[in-house]
Amino acid sequence: NGNGSLSILVLGNSFAERAAPVIRDVFHGHYSVLRIYTGGACRILAGFDAPKYRDTYPTLLEKMRPDITLVISRENYFLTGPALDSDVPEFARASVLQRFDLKRNFSRRLVVDGQNPFCGWGALMMKNGETIQTGLEIARRFQKKTFNMSELYWTRNETAKFHSFETEFLSSMASSNANFTFNKVYDQFCLPDEDVCPFYNPANLHSYYADYVGHLSVEGLNALREGYQRIASRLIRELYLE
């Protein structure tokens, strides 16, 4: 509970749970209630599993009718990557649209996070195709006093290409729906004006990722904080004016 006037709902999986403190901070002072409803390992976007969660969050949405709903759900190859690319069948697109329509119909504003650039199945994928545990790999290089970080990044072009379908699909939805915001997460890990998207903060060499499934560390969440703040400030301004 808060002392503001807006109602906010956060949906998703464990990535949403970890992002909740940042969401609370950027909306601080503006919400009357902030509710976090997540399901560990549930893929709310793709909708392939977690039937109990999938069947209950629409009821919560309809009853709560929040001013803002944020969907923060990292899902392997959801609308992105070589496994889908441009060959996503039409029924899959229709299914995704149906789920987004449900969220939009009961929310004044809907924000959907994009996917992390390096979240693969069970590990983080390096640009050479090798999968690693990023934090452990950085620690290993320090321990051996080999500070070569040259492989622990993707180029901006490689990152954008990997997410091209997702970007096209969700950007199109955002451009045609005034109450829909696509938070392009992957781009926020790339260095400004440089062709590098590292797995870690180059200023202090802290890993953006905390474990083998790509959960964000505190450093990784801080990398996204500015983006969440921009979105929060804009939505607060818009909703107060309505």
Side-chain angles (χ1 to χ4, degrees):
N1 294 325
N3 55 9
S5 59
L6 300 177
S7 58
I8 301 173
L9 175 63
V10 179
L11 299 174
N13 50 29
S14 55
F15 289 86
E17 183 178 351
R18 288 174 179 240
V22 178
I23 301 303
R24 179 195 60 205
D25 289 349
V26 299
F27 284 101
H28 179 72
H30 295 281
Y31 63 81
S32 58
V33 59
L34 170 62
R35 182 168 291 172
I36 313 297
Y37 184 59
T38 62
C42 293
R43 291 181 284 184
I44 187 174
L45 296 170
F48 296 140
D49 49 17
K52 184 176 180 180
Y53 182 80
R54 189 177 64 236
D55 294 342
T56 53
Y57 81 75
T59 302
L60 174 59
L61 262 173
E62 186 173 2
K63 288 184 176 181
M64 186 177 174
R65 295 181 179 267
D67 293 306
I68 301 171
T69 297
L70 298 100
V71 179
I72 303 173
S73 184
R74 300 292 182 261
E75 304 180 16
N76 303 309
Y77 300 124
F78 166 74
L79 292 182
T80 196
L84 294 179
D85 198 29
S86 60
D87 297 326
V88 178
E90 288 301 319
F91 77 83
R93 300 186 192 205
S95 181
V96 169
L97 287 171
Q98 183 181 31
R99 281 188 289 280
F100 283 165
D101 283 342
L102 172 66
K103 299 176 186 71
R104 285 187 297 131
N105 288 339
F106 296 118
S107 306
R108 293 172 68 189
R109 296 291 188 277
L110 173 64
V111 180
V112 177
D113 266 17
Q115 298 299 292
N116 273 3
F118 319 114
C119 188
W121 182 252
L124 303 175
M125 186 181 297
M126 297 169 61
K127 63 178 183 177
N128 65 5
E130 179 188 357
T131 55
I132 61 168
Q133 295 187 40
T134 306
L136 293 178
E137 178 63 16
I138 290 176
R140 185 186 69 81
R141 295 188 185 196
F142 276 134
Q143 187 177 36
K144 290 187 174 182
K145 297 184 179 180
T146 56
F147 302 105
N148 177 20
M149 303 295 179
S150 63
E151 292 183 338
L152 298 180
Y153 72 90
W154 277 9
T155 67
R156 185 179 291 273
N157 182 61
E158 288 168 331
T159 306
K161 184 177 180 181
F162 189 79
H163 291 268
S164 60
F165 182 75
E166 174 194 80
T167 301
E168 177 186 355
F169 184 87
L170 296 182
S171 295
S172 175
M173 287 195 64
S175 64
S176 59
N177 298 278
N179 66 341
F180 182 94
T181 297
F182 167 37
N183 184 19
K184 196 186 295 184
V185 167
Y186 74 82
D187 196 46
Q188 297 172 47
F189 289 96
C190 299
L191 300 182
D193 304 319
E194 292 188 42
D195 187 35
V196 178
C197 306
F199 298 172
Y200 58 92
N201 183 345
N204 57 23
L205 300 183
H206 292 172
S207 173
Y208 286 145
Y209 302 96
D211 57 27
Y212 73 97
V213 295
H215 285 123
L216 294 178
S217 64
V218 172
E219 196 75 38
L221 288 170
N222 282 336
L224 299 183
R225 183 180 291 269
E226 184 178 345
Y228 284 131
Q229 185 65 70
R230 283 196 303 268
I231 291 172
S233 298
R234 175 174 58 81
L235 295 185
I236 290 167
R237 184 172 61 253
E238 291 177 0
L239 290 171
Y240 281 174
L241 290 175
E242 284 188 356

